[in-house]
Amino acid sequence: MNTKLRLQLSGMMFLQYFIWGSWYVTMGPYLKDTLHFSGQQIGLAFSTTALAAMISPFFVGMVADRFFATEKVLAALHILGGACLFGASKATTFATFYPLLMAHTLCYMPTLALTNSLAFHHLTDPGKQFPGIRVLGTISWITAGFVVGMLGVKANTTPWPFVIGAVVSVLMGLYSLSLPHTPPAKLGQRVTVRDILGLDALSLLKERSFLVFVLGAFLFCIPLTFYFAFVPAYLADLDISQIPRKMTMGQMSEIFFLLVMPFFFVRLGVKWMLAVGMLAWAARYFLFAFGDNAAIPAGGLHADQLVGLLGLAGMLYLGIILHGICYDFFFVTAYIYVDQKANESIRAKAQGFIALVTLGAGMFVGSNLSGWVVDRYSFPEVHPVRHKAVPAESWSPGGYARWESQGQAAFGQVIAVVTNGAPATLYVSRSGGVFNVTPEKPSNAEALAVDVAGLVKGLEKPAAILQLFEPVRDAGAEPPIQPKSYKPSSTFVAQPPAVLSKPMSNWRDIWLLPAYGSLVILALFLMLFKEQPTPKPKQG
């Protein structure tokens, strides 16, 4: 491989994964704390990549592989995807954000397969040459984390990571036009849905152990999605600084464990490699759950100022660093196992099938389930066990807040932050748990009138207008028994933003669910999976 081609393909991989790495890590905190999306909405946002991964084989197989040169398809998809991602950066409601992000991922996910196929087309010895090209993708993800980390707190609180991703996506589109010409791989060939989905690989399911492996891989992708969707939001709740940079510790460990995997693979075999990977996922969730014990320490310290492996920060960082074992021992081993079990005629289809099952279906179910779980263990669904200070200027409509009222904790939702010249009256309506605030009474919904002028009279501006939430208790239960949940009342109050604090999700309960789920799936896998020796080809 000549130097020019190596540089071209390396640059392609670097830009390709920089796009994804720029916005994926910081999206959770931004949607949760700035746009105030619910857990289910955040889960849906993260599931766009899984849904697109299920759809992209149709596009690649029916269009990209048959009609157009790969570099031109990459150019078109990345430029269009960049425009969609930039649109998502401007969206402030779920109704506008979600379809734009979905459009971006529908453009982006097919390019993962297309960049691989373009590289394979031009490499003379893919087995030896491709790893050195593909590692630029991991390095790029790490670089994206450091670049976005330079934004400081703005990385988690502003749409700038999406803007960066959009700009790089357009650059990647333009760069694609300089890549070596790669004609469509299946020009003139008949294509079927069976080929695209790799359904010929279903013949492998006749072997009981392979069926157990596929079902186990699908089920295991459900709890592991909690990590991708909500760890950044969790770290933000704990005031961990430079989250994008610190999350790259996972990719750094991934590179290390990729290098040492052959040593372990020979000694452990497929079953125990997968088992170690599953156990590592459970371990990292337990680290997150019990590393949450100090959460917001006394004395004004932030979590990442604590030191020591058994301190809060040490346990959290160890959970992130385990990503090398979690990802390599599970996913890479899975791909190797499929490669061993499938004969040459269906090998590519089998790899596509297992990717559809894990990165597609498993991640899609997991993203939505994780969002539901986070909602279930967050205010107002539960009583918050902790709260944290938030800068006064960070409060915006939609945020849940806690404050002291007559010596007791009070809770509510910010409906507006008013300054001089604010409307004298606002109207608040709710539909499906989503609130809407307008200066004029809606004609198609019941709305509560809020006397803004009366509430803020005598208060310095800006002032936060909040809808008070009242506790829902078990029948006959009285304080000090904590309420089960909270619901909006018809009472509105005004408070200085400086006295408000944020009710935190009950993160320990959240992390224990995927931890126990991982252990259950691991136990079933160990009982049911029996590694069958792969028959060696006959000699002569």
Side-chain angles (χ1 to χ4, degrees):
M1 178 172 52
N2 61 58
T3 302
K4 179 182 177 182
L5 179 61
R6 177 180 290 276
L7 291 175
Q8 283 180 306
L9 299 181
S10 297
M12 175 186 72
M13 287 298 180
F14 187 88
L15 291 173
Q16 173 71 34
Y17 287 90
F18 193 101
I19 299 165
W20 197 359
S22 63
W23 61 268
Y24 193 73
V25 172
T26 59
M27 180 170 71
Y30 172 67
L31 298 186
K32 188 173 187 290
D33 296 331
T34 300
L35 297 188
H36 306 299
F37 287 2
S38 68
Q40 285 185 289
Q41 290 172 331
I42 296 171
L44 281 170
F46 276 98
S47 73
T48 56
T49 55
L51 189 58
M54 291 189 280
I55 297 173
S56 62
F58 287 94
F59 176 82
V60 174
M62 299 184 72
V63 180
D65 276 354
R66 293 176 54 77
F67 299 110
F68 304 103
T70 303
E71 71 276 10
K72 293 181 180 178
V73 176
L74 284 172
L77 288 176
H78 277 300
I79 291 174
L80 179 59
C84 294
L85 192 59
F86 182 76
S89 74
K90 300 297 181 183
T92 56
T93 65
F94 183 76
T96 54
F97 177 84
Y98 179 77
L100 286 167
L101 185 65
M102 186 76 247
H104 167 72
T105 56
L106 285 172
C107 291
Y108 180 81
M109 295 308 288
T111 64
L112 296 175
L114 290 172
T115 49
N116 288 342
S117 66
L118 187 148
F120 284 130
H121 182 84
H122 294 280
L123 296 177
T124 55
D125 189 350
K128 292 182 178 179
Q129 297 167 338
F130 184 72
I133 299 296
R134 175 58 183 82
V135 74
L136 267 294
T138 303
I139 293 173
S140 171
W141 191 286
I142 295 171
T143 305
F146 276 84
V147 170
V148 172
M150 293 172 64
L151 296 172
V153 295
K154 292 183 179 179
N156 301 324
T157 59
T158 70
W160 272 108
F162 292 93
V163 175
I164 293 172
V167 171
V168 176
S169 185
V170 173
L171 288 176
M172 173 61 179
L174 299 175
Y175 178 81
S176 298
L177 297 175
S178 70
L179 295 172
H181 177 61
T182 311
K186 299 178 181 178
L187 182 63
Q189 294 184 21
R190 180 175 176 269
V191 66
T192 65
V193 172
R194 185 179 185 85
D195 289 333
I196 293 170
L197 294 180
L199 296 183
D200 288 338
L202 293 180
S203 61
L204 295 171
L205 299 179
K206 295 177 182 178
E207 182 183 306
R208 178 175 176 271
S209 287
F210 192 85
L211 175 62
V212 171
F213 159 74
V214 170
L215 292 175
F218 165 74
L219 291 174
F220 201 75
C221 280
I222 296 174
L224 68 80
T225 314
F226 281 71
Y227 175 82
F228 299 107
F230 287 103
V231 163
Y234 168 57
L235 298 180
D237 256 6
L238 300 186
D239 282 342
I240 295 290
S241 63
Q242 298 292 340
I243 292 173
R245 293 186 182 183
K246 287 168 183 173
M247 290 291 289
T248 64
M249 292 189 294
Q251 280 67 47
M252 295 176 189
S253 72
E254 183 184 332
I255 295 175
F256 170 77
F257 282 103
L258 271 176
L259 296 175
V260 300
M261 261 195 74
F263 172 83
F264 288 101
F265 200 90
V266 171
R267 288 158 177 78
L268 297 179
V270 169
K271 179 175 182 176
W272 291 103
M273 286 288 287
L274 290 171
V276 170
M278 293 180 179
L279 184 62
W281 279 99
R284 83 183 326 176
Y285 288 139
F286 280 118
L287 285 168
F288 291 150
F290 294 104
D292 189 23
N293 57 358
I296 306 300
L301 288 176
H302 293 297
D304 58 354
Q305 292 175 296
L306 299 178
V307 294
L309 183 62
L310 297 181
L312 171 65
M315 296 180 76
L316 300 182
Y317 297 157
L318 183 57
I320 295 172
I321 292 170
L322 276 175
H323 189 69
I325 301 177
C326 293
Y327 188 88
D328 294 339
F329 279 46
F330 181 76
F331 282 105
V332 177
T333 300
Y335 296 146
I336 293 173
Y337 177 65
V338 171
D339 187 74
Q340 291 178 348
K341 302 304 293 184
N343 60 50
E344 188 174 354
S345 64
I346 63 170
R347 190 163 291 155
K349 297 175 182 178
Q351 292 289 358
F353 173 71
I354 198 63
L356 180 70
V357 169
T358 55
L359 300 179
M363 292 286 199
F364 180 78
V365 174
S367 295
N368 287 280
L369 179 63
S370 64
W372 179 85
V373 168
V374 169
D375 273 347
R376 176 64 184 82
Y377 289 96
S378 299
F379 180 87
E381 294 298 318
V382 294
H383 177 78
V385 296
R386 290 195 310 277
H387 57 98
K388 58 174 285 188
V390 175
E393 64 274 11
S394 297
W395 288 104
S396 60
Y400 292 112
R402 177 193 184 278
W403 66 97
E404 296 290 332
S405 177
Q406 299 179 346
Q408 299 291 325
F411 297 91
Q413 186 172 27
V414 178
I415 67 162
V417 178
V418 300
T419 57
N420 293 324
T425 304
L426 290 173
Y427 294 90
V428 179
S429 58
R430 291 181 180 269
S431 177
V434 178
F435 82 99
N436 182 51
V437 180
T438 59
E440 297 179 359
K441 186 175 183 179
S443 58
N444 59 348
E446 293 185 7
L448 297 173
V450 182
D451 179 15
V452 174
L455 289 174
V456 301
K457 187 176 181 180
L459 286 179
E460 293 185 5
K461 309 297 189 304
I465 306 296
L466 303 106
Q467 184 171 18
L468 192 66
F469 273 52
E470 57 187 21
V472 178
R473 302 182 186 275
D474 287 325
E478 295 292 337
I481 298 176
Q482 299 291 5
K484 294 173 60 178
S485 60
Y486 293 79
K487 64 180 181 180
S489 70
S490 58
T491 302
F492 295 85
V493 298
Q495 293 288 336
V499 306
L500 303 179
S501 59
K502 173 189 171 184
M504 293 173 62
S505 300
N506 294 356
W507 286 109
R508 177 178 292 191
D509 296 331
I510 292 171
W511 294 125
L512 286 177
L513 285 175
Y516 291 133
S518 298
L519 290 179
V520 170
I521 297 170
L522 170 60
L524 292 173
F525 175 79
L526 289 175
M527 287 189 294
L528 299 176
F529 181 81
K530 294 182 179 180
E531 187 175 349
Q532 302 292 332
T534 303
K536 296 182 179 180
K538 296 180 180 180
Q539 301 295 325

